[in-house]
Amino acid sequence: MRQIKRKQNVIIFSAGESIRNGNVEYIKRKLDDSDILCFDWQSLFSQAHNMEQIALLPALLKKIPTFDFALIVAEGVDTVKLRGNDECSAIRDNVIFELGLCTMALGAERVILLAEDNVRIPEDLVGVGKMGIEYVTFSSGSREPAIGKVGEIIGKKADLLTERFMLQLGEIIEHINKNSEQVSPVFVGAAVSSAEAYFINFIVRLFENIDKGFSRREHPEKVYQCPDRIKLRICLPPAVNMSARSMISVYFKKHGYEDFFIVNAGIRGLFFNGMFDESGSSLLIVDVPTSITASYVLVNSVLNIDSDADYDTSAEKRFITKEMDIYAFALNKLLSPEVARKRLSFIRDGKKAERVLNQLQNVSIEFVDITR
């Protein structure tokens, strides 16, 4: 699969003073220069009907998970008195609460604390030895080096966490393979379950039955023999919505992909789109999985949790982008030879299973804007 590197979405939490004194805007501008998309916490409530009455906690709970990272800006806007009557600069209590929410929603590795060097950090955050979350300090007269370091951390962590996710996904699939005969496979999240269903019900079924021949939908009476060369190009839109199915149809017609079908592909016929070169004995199959709309339904349900605000389309876009990432990761893992071989164990004919396995090497996955 071609690696797609998209811009990381980062939510910035801070005290109101950090917005009013321009520090948050400065941080956003500097990180934007590093191709990192930043949003300050006020944007989460832009759809609120009444800021004095909005249910803040539900809004935070449903929107924080739509981001890739959280950046907590800790300036010493408060002064607290410690045991022994010592006074020191401290983080605003709301910011500490939001730091905790972000850690629970995104994981400690996706939370970065950017703190003024004279600010007291709670002992539970510092711990013994290394902090659980990334910790960068800055002085009021020199912010730029610290912000540059934050950008580097986000870039490195995005690559590292993607690699780790792929390993974890492999372990999940391995567990399912081992226990599939004892229990029904259960997946958490619409993207992973949709990818698994698409792999078995379309990709494997296609290559398992293409040797029977196929027909153009316009001329079902003529059956073409399986060509020598077959390629399957899977196109994933960066985001989906309820009109995705109709957009898929338009995309196929606009690019001249014909309608084909295999009459008997197991319990029912199998329809697909593509380009067939009979003289050259080659077939290009292009498919946009319709099952990805399940991710939209899931996201829509989460974001409709009542918080006295209008539906947030920006949060929807971020959430769907993450779902599409997971769909692509899962599908890529399922197509890998070591995983695919285990998933094809239900095909009793050894030669057919080997043929399907070989055909899987001719599958490519890419993100395509199907509206163009």
Side-chain angles (χ1 to χ4, degrees):
M1 172 185 164
R2 186 176 67 186
Q3 183 65 39
I4 304 294
K5 292 201 72 170
R6 62 171 175 81
K7 294 181 178 182
Q8 298 293 293
N9 291 297
V10 178
I11 179 65
I12 301 176
F13 282 103
S14 70
E17 285 83 351
S18 299
I19 290 181
R20 289 190 287 274
N21 65 23
N23 275 349
V24 169
E25 184 58 36
Y26 180 82
I27 292 168
K28 285 173 60 179
R29 190 166 62 250
K30 288 296 181 182
L31 292 179
D32 284 344
D33 290 342
S34 301
D35 259 1
I36 296 170
L37 296 176
C38 294
F39 305 80
D40 67 66
W41 58 270
Q42 288 183 331
S43 67
L44 300 185
F45 310 113
S46 61
Q47 307 298 315
H49 300 150
N50 184 340
M51 272 302 295
E52 298 299 321
Q53 297 181 7
I54 187 172
L56 295 176
L57 185 57
L60 292 172
L61 289 175
K62 70 183 182 180
K63 292 185 182 182
I64 289 174
T66 69
F67 292 93
D68 299 300
F69 290 90
L71 177 61
I72 313 299
V73 179
E75 291 193 86
V77 297
D78 284 339
T79 300
V80 297
K81 185 175 288 187
L82 304 177
R83 288 188 295 265
N85 292 325
D86 292 333
E87 291 188 349
C88 64
S89 296
I91 308 171
R92 179 59 50 84
D93 50 5
N94 274 352
V95 177
I96 296 176
F97 174 68
E98 287 148 0
L99 188 153
L101 283 180
C102 291
T103 302
M104 294 301 293
L106 300 175
E109 289 179 310
R110 292 186 177 274
V111 179
I112 302 167
L113 179 61
L114 179 60
E116 201 170 2
D117 51 14
N118 65 338
V119 170
R120 178 182 180 272
I121 304 299
E123 293 176 357
D124 284 351
L125 279 179
V126 177
V128 179
K130 190 178 184 302
M131 283 182 63
I133 63 174
E134 204 73 43
Y135 179 31
V136 181
T137 60
F138 70 95
S139 62
S140 56
S142 179
R143 300 170 297 178
E144 195 157 339
I147 297 170
K149 186 175 180 181
V150 169
E152 291 175 8
I153 290 170
I154 290 172
K156 289 178 181 178
K157 279 182 173 285
D159 292 339
L160 177 65
L161 293 172
T162 294
E163 182 179 345
R164 184 178 299 174
F165 175 78
M166 290 296 290
L167 293 173
Q168 291 169 335
L169 189 60
E171 292 174 3
I172 292 171
I173 294 173
E174 178 69 21
H175 174 79
I176 291 169
N177 288 334
K178 287 181 179 179
N179 296 282
S180 59
E181 294 183 3
Q182 286 77 33
V183 296
S184 299
V186 176
F187 300 88
V188 179
V192 177
S193 59
S194 297
E196 165 74 8
Y198 177 72
F199 174 75
I200 294 295
N201 294 327
F202 180 76
I203 299 176
V204 172
R205 200 154 65 94
L206 171 70
F207 290 130
E208 190 182 5
N209 293 282
I210 193 70
D211 60 316
K212 297 175 182 176
F214 59 95
S215 303
R216 284 186 167 90
R217 191 176 295 194
E218 295 177 353
H219 302 286
E221 71 284 351
K222 182 174 177 58
V223 179
Y224 299 97
Q225 296 303 306
C226 180
D228 297 329
R229 294 181 301 280
I230 303 174
K231 287 188 177 180
L232 170 59
R233 177 172 166 249
I234 300 171
C235 301
L236 298 179
V240 292
N241 53 39
M242 290 305 288
S243 61
R245 288 178 181 268
S246 60
M247 288 192 296
I248 292 170
S249 257
V250 171
Y251 176 76
F252 287 146
K253 290 178 182 177
K254 184 175 181 180
H255 289 81
Y257 298 126
E258 297 182 85
D259 294 330
F260 298 97
F261 70 97
I262 302 170
V263 176
N264 180 17
I267 60 174
R268 61 186 183 280
L270 181 68
F271 294 87
F272 60 90
N273 295 82
M275 291 182 176
F276 177 44
D277 179 3
E278 189 172 4
S279 61
S281 191
S282 67
L283 175 64
L284 169 65
I285 301 170
V286 180
D287 194 64
V288 182
T290 55
S291 58
I292 55 178
T293 54
S295 290
Y296 175 77
V297 173
L298 173 67
V299 170
N300 191 264
S301 298
V302 172
L303 293 179
N304 269 313
I305 295 173
D306 185 22
S307 62
D308 192 32
D310 290 334
Y311 190 83
D312 190 336
T313 55
S314 296
E316 174 192 288
K317 183 178 179 180
R318 292 191 300 269
F319 215 147
I320 287 291
T321 297
K322 293 175 76 171
E323 281 284 296
M324 292 299 98
D325 281 348
I326 295 172
Y327 190 100
F329 291 151
L331 201 53
N332 184 59
K333 194 69 180 178
L334 289 163
L335 287 166
S336 64
E338 64 275 14
V339 174
R341 187 177 294 278
K342 294 172 183 176
R343 300 301 288 141
L344 296 178
S345 60
F346 68 91
I347 302 178
R348 301 303 178 188
D349 184 333
K351 289 184 178 179
K352 177 178 282 190
E354 203 61 36
R355 187 173 69 249
V356 172
L357 191 65
N358 290 334
Q359 290 283 20
L360 293 180
Q361 306 312 303
N362 298 320
V363 179
S364 64
I365 307 170
E366 58 186 278
F367 285 96
V368 175
D369 185 353
I370 62 174
T371 62
R372 295 182 178 178

